[in-house]
Amino acid sequence: MHGEYKVPGGKLVVVDLGVESAAQGEVLRGVRVAGDFFLEPDEALLDINRALEGAPADLTAPQLAARIDAALPEGTVMFGFTSEAVGIAVRRALANATDWHHYDWQLIHDGPQSPALHMALDEVLTAEVAAGRRPPTLRVWEWASPAVVIGSFQSLRNEVDPEGAERHGMTVVRRISGGGAMFVEPGNTITYSLCVPDALVQGLSFADSYAYLDDWVLGALEGMGVKAWYQPLNDIATDSGKIAGAAQKRLVGAEGAVLHHVTMAYDIDADKMLDVLRIGKEKLSDKGTKSAKKRVDPLRRQTGLPRADVIEKMIDTFRGRYGLTEGAVTPEEMARAEELAAVKFSSEEWTARVP
């Protein structure tokens, strides 16, 4: 079995192993760890292999990491990876997880579309990936109108001031993923979705899958002079503040699929945002700031680039890492999405399902 795990912002860890039955159940055999990481002393790699040899095959990544930590000599330096990263690579090997390079990725970047249609396209395209009828897809959104997008489980009345939304012409829609509210203005927001097979995130915890699926974005930002990192659970941040938030939804199908979408602040009208969103003190209490305005630091200021250039550099980074061909929403997919947009995502029943 073969497993790989690219540490977000770090190095690649590769594990090859077998499994055999023993009196206490299945155990790991023939474990060999490799990668482009740095490790001192050199002999510590043998200690890692020995720590995993004979380990129960049902141990979690943290439990495997604990075995490794206990076996490493004092003063061991692990640079670009951690013992838990090795544990994750083991779990991915045991789960027969796939890698980004196993797929032919498709790009969809269409013209401006309505907020409700964007919600519907996410659901339809991810379902198509789950059914095996669509390749893994990166979809970059363009917005036809301003919107507030609330998470699947958020209270409508607690999150949105209806008078403020009406005053600023904001459409309010609810997405199928959890997480917090998104404040969207067409020229100020960068949004993308990844519709990926469930196999790509096998062996990863729910939390680890967030950073794993957005590691390419951190690379793109670094190429634009922005040092960013993943701030658990679902924020992308810099020294200047938060620049993006992610959310996920897992769909069941013939293969299963994950919808992972991210909204990034290219620019923002903070006064308008605070007039529309009801951002409470409790939500800000663990963010290290007293002001919601200071929580978001837009990419326009940090990169100095036009929005279209930021998007182009992001797409180029993805293409350079994993390959990417131009694609499109099929007529059948669009027909289903338009029906969902009208019947579900534009309905009061769905939008106010958590009043």
Side-chain angles (χ1 to χ4, degrees):
M1 300 176 184
H2 179 86
E4 298 185 1
Y5 177 60
K6 169 66 168 60
V7 180
K11 298 296 184 178
L12 178 69
V13 179
V14 181
V15 176
D16 291 286
L17 54 81
V19 173
E20 74 174 28
S21 297
Q24 68 273 34
E26 291 191 327
V27 297
L28 308 183
R29 292 297 185 209
V31 182
R32 294 293 179 267
V33 177
D36 60 356
F37 48 76
F38 299 92
L39 177 65
E40 294 291 346
D42 197 78
E43 296 77 16
L45 185 61
L46 298 178
D47 294 316
I48 293 175
N49 290 337
R50 281 193 287 264
L52 296 172
E53 189 71 22
D58 60 355
L59 292 185
T60 65
Q63 289 171 328
L64 293 167
R67 289 177 68 103
I68 294 170
D69 290 338
L72 289 174
E74 186 177 352
T76 297
V77 177
M78 307 172 77
F79 187 68
F81 78 122
T82 63
S83 56
E84 186 159 351
V86 178
I88 291 172
V90 171
R91 295 308 319 165
R92 285 176 61 76
L94 293 168
N96 293 316
T98 57
D99 181 70
W100 295 86
H101 298 94
H102 290 147
Y103 301 105
D104 295 323
W105 292 89
Q106 186 175 111
L107 171 68
I108 294 176
H109 188 189
D110 291 332
Q113 291 160 325
S114 72
L117 185 57
H118 278 307
M119 303 304 106
L121 282 168
D122 264 358
E123 181 170 334
V124 168
L125 297 181
T126 307
E128 289 297 287
V129 172
R133 293 189 291 265
R134 160 167 285 281
T137 300
L138 167 65
R139 183 171 74 91
V140 180
W141 305 19
E142 296 294 345
W143 294 88
S145 60
V148 173
V149 184
I150 59 175
S152 181
F153 311 107
Q154 287 188 295
S155 162
L156 177 60
R157 69 166 67 98
N158 289 346
E159 296 299 324
V160 183
D161 182 321
E163 294 180 356
E166 184 177 0
R167 186 160 49 247
H168 297 291
M170 311 287 289
T171 301
V172 181
V173 292
R174 186 184 294 273
R175 61 182 184 270
I176 62 173
S177 64
M182 300 157 47
F183 177 81
V184 173
E185 293 185 285
N188 290 348
T189 306
I190 296 173
T191 309
Y192 65 87
S193 301
L194 284 169
C195 305
V196 307
D198 185 64
L200 183 63
V201 297
Q202 284 297 306
L204 297 177
S205 69
F206 191 77
D208 287 334
S209 70
Y210 273 78
Y212 181 71
L213 291 175
D214 281 333
D215 185 59
W216 66 277
V217 175
L218 302 187
L221 291 170
E222 186 172 9
M224 290 180 265
V226 178
K227 179 60 178 175
W229 60 87
Y230 227 88
Q231 185 168 293
L233 170 63
N234 62 331
D235 288 349
I236 298 175
T238 70
D239 285 332
S240 300
K242 173 182 173 179
I243 56 175
Q248 284 187 8
K249 176 68 176 179
R250 306 199 173 202
L251 299 185
V252 176
E255 301 178 6
V258 177
L259 167 65
H260 178 93
H261 44 199
V262 174
T263 292
M264 312 179 77
Y266 173 72
D267 205 348
I268 195 163
D269 186 331
D271 291 326
K272 185 185 296 184
M273 178 183 71
L274 293 178
D275 196 35
V276 173
L277 299 183
R278 289 172 169 160
I279 302 175
K281 292 181 180 179
E282 184 67 24
K283 184 168 184 176
L284 298 174
S285 63
D286 65 342
K287 306 298 183 181
T289 178
K290 296 180 180 179
S291 170
K293 292 183 182 180
K294 295 179 181 178
R295 282 197 62 210
V296 182
D297 195 71
L299 287 170
R300 180 177 183 177
R301 188 190 68 78
Q302 293 201 46
T303 65
L305 296 171
R307 176 180 176 275
D309 289 359
V310 173
I311 292 173
E312 182 179 358
K313 289 180 181 296
M314 288 171 58
I315 292 172
D316 286 346
T317 297
F318 191 102
R319 182 180 289 112
R321 285 196 181 193
Y322 312 127
L324 191 64
T325 59
E326 300 288 334
V329 178
T330 68
E332 295 77 15
E333 291 169 339
M334 183 59 75
R336 288 200 298 277
E338 288 174 341
E339 181 181 4
L340 264 183
V343 173
K344 178 178 180 178
F345 292 105
S346 296
S347 72
E348 182 69 16
E349 180 182 7
W350 170 256
T351 304
R353 78 183 190 104
V354 182

